[in-house]
Structure formats: structure tokens, C-alpha cells
Amino acid sequence: MDLLNKKIRNITQSVTLKIDALAKKMKADNEDVVSFGAGEPDFDTPDYIKDQAIASIKKGETKYTDASGTIALKNAVVKKMKEEHGLEYQPSQIVISCGAKHSLYNIFQVMLDPGDEVILFSPFWVSYPEQIKLADAKPVIVDTTGTGFKINFNELENKLSPRTKLIVLNSPQNP
């Protein structure tokens, strides 16, 4: 008996994680490797960030937060967006997540129904099509590699259908 459902059996393994595992193995074998896999920096987290994390832990800031982020963090994002970009937001318009992939996965899960289509411009991050498939939807690819990463609107129009629900616009590739 297979314990995994059909949906997960049709998802391909992350190429990024395969490359990362290979690079880590090569490093463990004392090979000189520059990894282009997971995108992790080759330097440690700066001390001021570690110190703040430790201070927060010591203050007892270790409890669950609102799923969309703390109000203090949302207010900091609102302030940063205003000061650095001149953009006006309300804290209710800000969602804090573990990153773009996590946010997109959540969006796909709550917005897509079986059979919906999502337009992706290629190149794209490798996990996007698999995330769309996990939502029982279909990724539809519009290639931009031959146009200098510019959208060919004729091709886009040809890919649109009554089932098109979302368009993921990335600039270019990572996210």
C-alpha cells in the first residue's frame, strides 16, 4: 500500500535541493565547491541579528504570533515602504511570511480550484509549477528567454483561456 496520495506522487523532486545535496556531499569529501543550489550565503548571520534574536528569546518573545505577522513588524514594514519607496500601506495590507515561495504556495492553495490555470513567465523558480500542481491546477508557461525577458503579449494572449485564474509575474525568475 502506498501511503502517499496521487497528487504528491506526481510532483517532481526539487532540482535545487538535488544540486544542494550534491554540493554538500562534495564539500564533505573535501572537494572545492562553489554551490549555486539553495541560494544560501557563504557567510554567517551577522552578530547584530543574532544578538537581537537572543535578546528577544530572553525577553520571552517565543510565543505564537498572528499568522500574518505581529503588528510591530507590520508597522515597521509600512514605515520602510513609505520612507524608502514613497508607498502608502496599512498594516492590514501587510502579510509576513517565511518567504516568497511560502506566500505563493499559500496563495495557490486558497485561490485555485481543480482545473484552473496559472500563467508563469519562463524563466521561473523551479518550485512554482509543482506548487501549482499541488493546488490541482495547471501551470501554463510563457517563455521570455528569447525576448530579453520581455513579455510577448501575443504569446500571452494565446495562452490565456477561460480557466486562467492567476498570472505570476516575476522579474526575472527569482521571484
Side-chain angles (χ1 to χ4, degrees), residues 50-61:
K50 291 192 249 184
D51 293 343
Q52 183 60 53
I54 291 166
S56 292
I57 290 169
K58 287 182 177 180
K59 285 193 292 188
E61 295 174 347

Side-chain angles (χ1 to χ4, degrees), residues 2-69:
D2 197 338
L3 296 177
L4 301 177
N5 67 29
K6 289 178 190 174
K7 187 187 311 187
I8 200 69
R9 289 193 308 256
N10 291 325
I11 301 301
T12 58
Q13 181 183 3
S14 167
V15 175
T16 305
L17 295 180
K18 274 189 201 177
I19 291 169
D20 191 56
L22 177 60
K24 285 178 179 172
K25 181 188 179 315
M26 292 169 73
K27 284 182 183 179
D29 293 341
N30 293 318
E31 294 186 49
D32 187 19
V33 175
V34 176
S35 176
F36 292 98
E40 279 187 310
D42 61 355
F43 54 87
D44 197 13
T45 302
D47 285 339
Y48 74 94
I49 294 173
K50 291 192 249 184
D51 293 343
Q52 183 60 53
I54 291 166
S56 292
I57 290 169
K58 287 182 177 180
K59 285 193 292 188
E61 295 174 347
T62 58
K63 309 297 185 236
Y64 285 115
T65 65
D66 183 39
S68 65

Side-chain angles (χ1 to χ4, degrees), residues 16 73 83 107 160:
T16 305
L73 183 52
E83 290 174 358
I107 289 166
L160 294 173

